[in-house]
């Protein structure tokens, strides 16, 4: 569970850093557009926007390193855009089947597998929940599916160029996660009526 906590803490840091910028931008948007809104809608928009920042922090923002080099007395900031373990997988379920098998060379393999398979679904669940909630024209299952599929394909394609793995299994698991979110939206809609 330490691996999950690490990802959540990392996402939370990016979300916290984005919050003041979001609040300022949203206030300016509402004032300029003289938009009428509700507190509940604004809360949903805020959560969705901050979620998108958190999602980007784990998927498309390149890894980076910053600090102070005491030997040269200089500050440094580097984006890490290459990786020796990055790969491309275009064979459906290859990675998922690898995670199902045991691996004696990796300690706590079950946790790594669980985070990869379940985490890839859960991290995209909010898209399926928020998209139909915030945009009435996107409330059918197929529009939510297309939005989720499109977003995950865009992310996986972008990862190819920033030194991260691109995997068709991620597209499949992410899209399943979007549809789980859509199912939660439908349940919530029925309860709210």
């Amino acid at each position: 569970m330490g691996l999950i906590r690490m990802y959540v803490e990392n996402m939370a840091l990016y979300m916290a850093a984005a919050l003041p910028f979001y609040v300022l931008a949203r206030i300016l948007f509402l004032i300029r557009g003289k938009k009428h809104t509700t507190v509940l809608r604004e809360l949903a928009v805020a959560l969705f926007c901050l979620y998108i920042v958190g999602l980007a922090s784990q998927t498309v923002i390149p890894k980076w390193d910053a600090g102070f080099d005491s030997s040269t007395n200089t500050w440094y900031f580097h984006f890490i855009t290459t990786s020796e373990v990055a790969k491309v997988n275009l064979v459906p379920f290859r990675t998922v089947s690898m995670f199902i098998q045991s691996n004696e060379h990796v300690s706590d393999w079950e946790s790594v597998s669980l985070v990869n398979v379940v985490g890839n679904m859960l991290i995209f669940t909010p898209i399926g929940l928020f998209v139909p909630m915030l945009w009435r024209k996107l409330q059918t299952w197929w529009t939510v599916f297309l939005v989720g599929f499109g977003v995950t394909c865009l992310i996986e394609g972008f990862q190819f160029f920033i030194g991260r793995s691109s995997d068709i299994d991620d597209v499949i698991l992410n899209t399943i996660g979007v549809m789980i979110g859509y199912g939660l939206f439908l349940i919530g809609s029925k309860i709210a009526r």
Side-chain angles (χ1 to χ4, degrees), residues 148-161:
F149 180 74
V151 167
T152 191
C153 285
L154 186 67
I155 288 170
E156 289 300 315
F158 191 76
Q159 285 180 339
F160 177 77
F161 296 103

Side-chain angles (χ1 to χ4, degrees), residues 55-129:
L55 178 66
S57 75
Q58 300 306 302
T59 57
V60 296
I61 296 175
K63 303 286 185 225
W64 55 275
D65 183 32
F68 183 76
D69 185 349
S70 60
S71 65
T72 61
N73 286 334
T74 57
W75 291 95
Y76 64 90
F77 183 85
H78 304 286
F79 281 114
I80 303 164
T81 57
T82 59
S83 172
E84 294 176 11
V85 295
K87 62 180 177 39
V88 175
N89 172 36
L90 299 175
V91 179
F93 304 108
R94 176 187 287 167
T95 304
V96 171
S97 65
M98 181 189 75
F99 280 120
I100 292 171
Q101 300 168 7
S102 64
N103 187 336
E104 65 275 355
H105 302 293
V106 178
S107 63
D108 203 19
W109 180 249
E110 291 77 24
S111 292
V112 172
S113 299
L114 183 68
V115 167
N116 190 294
V117 175
V118 176
N120 263 307
M121 287 188 284
L122 292 182
I123 197 167
F124 278 79
T125 300
I127 290 177
L129 180 65

